[in-house]
């Protein structure tokens, strides 16, 4: 273990000082093993969140429903007994509520599992990276926008597909620079933009022999995404949850990449 690996968890949770964050970022840029350790930690975090969410969406067990149905109402000494009709209505209401809750829990869990199953693995890593880097100010990017030509050549060579920097100024976005990420064991180009409110929108690109379909909206880790594929690459635009212009941004980017 390097001197930085024991700080990665705190780094992800934004619990380090500015100086320590800068130290970790510089180490990540030059240490593939440390970057791999960060990838493993982020993947474990995603898995833990997904498993916890799945637990919350589990249907109400039949045994629990039966236990509630058959439970006897506690009585107080000398207290008058509740009307039988009211007692039966209360029991029936509880059973119906449990049945409806179980049905929606089952349907909700099935829908979430279907969405997770259809979500490419690399998008979860992109979401984790966005969690870390979108909160950065001084260190938002690895290479600044003033080196656009270098960024395109560097990322195209690294990713293995042609990387272009779309002009998204008509969508109110300013290009800030780029980073090189790793997801599913493959390099990913990340182009970073900000809007007038300093919200960060990223365009990420990964080489793929199986391009995704047309524009699909997704939500991972409370970030909204729009994905699509073209030629030998897949793309995703990622931004804050509820950022309704992401589809328009994605289409503008797709026309230029």
């Amino acid at each position: 273990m390097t001197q930085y690996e024991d700080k990665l968890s705190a780094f992800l949770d934004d619990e380090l000082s500015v100086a320590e964050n800068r130290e970790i970022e510089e180490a990540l840029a030059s240490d593939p093993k440390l970057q791999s350790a960060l990838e493993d930690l982020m993947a474990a975090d995603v898995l833990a969140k997904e498993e916890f969410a799945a637990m919350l969406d589990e249907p109400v067990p039949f045994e629990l429903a039966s236990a509630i149905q058959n439970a006897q109402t506690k009585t107080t000494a000398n207290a008058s007994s509740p009307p039988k009709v009211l007692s039966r209505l209360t029991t029936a209401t509880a059973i119906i509520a449990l049945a409806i809750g179980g049905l929606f829990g089952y349907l909700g869990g099935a829908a979430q599992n279907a969405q997770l199953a259809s979500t490419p693995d690399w998008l979860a890593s992109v979401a984790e990276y966005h969690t870390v880097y979108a909160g950065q100010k001084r260190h938002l990017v690895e290479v600044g926008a003033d080196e656009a030509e270098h960024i395109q050549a560097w990322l195209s060579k690294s990713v293995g597909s042609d990387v272009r920097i779309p002009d998204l100024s008509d969508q109110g976005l300013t290009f800030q620079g780029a980073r090189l990420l790793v997801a599913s064991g493959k390099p990913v180009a990340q182009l970073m933009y900000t809007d007038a409110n300093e919200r960060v929108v990223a365009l990420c690109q990964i080489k793929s022999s199986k391009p995704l379909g047309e524009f699909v909206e997704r939500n991972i880790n409370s970030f909204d995404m729009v994905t699509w594929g073209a030629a030998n690459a897949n793309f995703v635009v990622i931004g804050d949850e509820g950022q309704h212009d992401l589809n328009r941004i994605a289409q503008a980017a797709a026309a230029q990449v």
Side-chain angles (χ1 to χ4, degrees):
M1 177 179 291
T2 69
Q3 59 178 316
Y4 300 111
E5 284 187 48
D6 59 343
K7 295 183 179 180
L8 287 180
S9 181
F11 175 72
L12 284 175
D13 294 334
D14 199 23
E15 297 175 349
L16 300 178
S17 66
V18 174
E20 288 175 316
N21 271 330
R22 186 182 303 118
E23 212 175 1
I24 295 292
E25 288 172 356
E26 291 174 353
L28 283 168
S30 59
D31 188 343
K33 289 185 178 180
L34 185 63
Q35 191 173 69
S36 178
L38 179 63
E39 285 285 334
D40 291 342
L41 191 60
M42 291 192 298
D45 184 53
V46 170
L47 181 60
K49 289 178 180 176
E50 290 175 354
E51 290 183 347
F52 181 69
M55 289 173 60
L56 294 179
D57 286 326
E58 284 292 323
V60 177
F62 176 76
E63 292 79 3
L64 177 59
S66 298
I68 294 175
Q69 179 184 354
N70 298 323
Q72 294 182 351
T73 305
K74 293 182 179 180
T75 59
T76 304
N78 300 323
S80 59
S81 300
K84 291 183 178 180
V85 173
L86 179 60
S87 177
R88 289 170 183 169
L89 285 174
T90 303
T91 301
T93 302
I95 294 171
I96 292 171
L98 282 168
I100 293 174
L103 175 62
F104 277 101
Y106 174 80
L107 293 177
Q112 184 184 47
N113 290 338
Q115 182 182 18
L116 288 172
S118 64
T119 300
D121 292 341
W122 69 283
L123 293 179
S125 293
V126 166
E128 289 291 340
Y129 275 119
H130 201 74
T131 302
V132 175
Y133 293 130
Q136 298 293 317
K137 297 298 182 183
R138 183 176 178 182
H139 299 283
L140 175 64
V141 298
E142 189 175 349
V143 181
D146 56 335
E147 298 186 69
E149 288 187 10
H150 166 67
I151 287 174
Q152 292 184 139
W154 163 53
L155 291 180
S156 294
K157 182 178 180 180
S158 299
V159 173
S161 62
D162 190 18
V163 175
R164 298 176 184 173
I165 302 173
D167 180 0
L168 300 178
S169 55
D170 287 346
Q171 281 66 49
L173 297 177
T174 302
F175 179 58
Q176 299 295 339
R179 285 184 176 276
L180 179 64
L181 312 179
V182 178
S184 298
K186 299 172 65 175
V188 177
Q190 183 188 52
L191 307 179
M192 306 286 265
Y193 296 80
T194 54
D195 65 11
N197 297 317
E198 296 189 349
R199 293 185 303 178
V200 177
V201 174
L203 168 61
C204 298
Q205 175 178 340
I206 187 171
K207 184 178 179 181
S208 177
S209 58
K210 298 179 180 178
L212 299 171
E214 290 300 311
F215 306 99
V216 176
E217 296 182 9
R218 308 172 188 269
N219 183 282
I220 301 178
N221 289 7
S222 297
F223 291 115
D224 284 343
M225 296 180 171
V226 179
T227 61
W228 75 96
N232 65 339
N234 284 324
F235 301 85
V236 59
V237 166
I238 178 172
D240 292 342
E241 191 171 43
Q243 193 164 340
H244 303 298
D245 54 351
L246 280 186
N247 203 300
R248 177 170 52 82
I249 292 171
Q251 294 189 41
Q256 301 179 57
V257 296

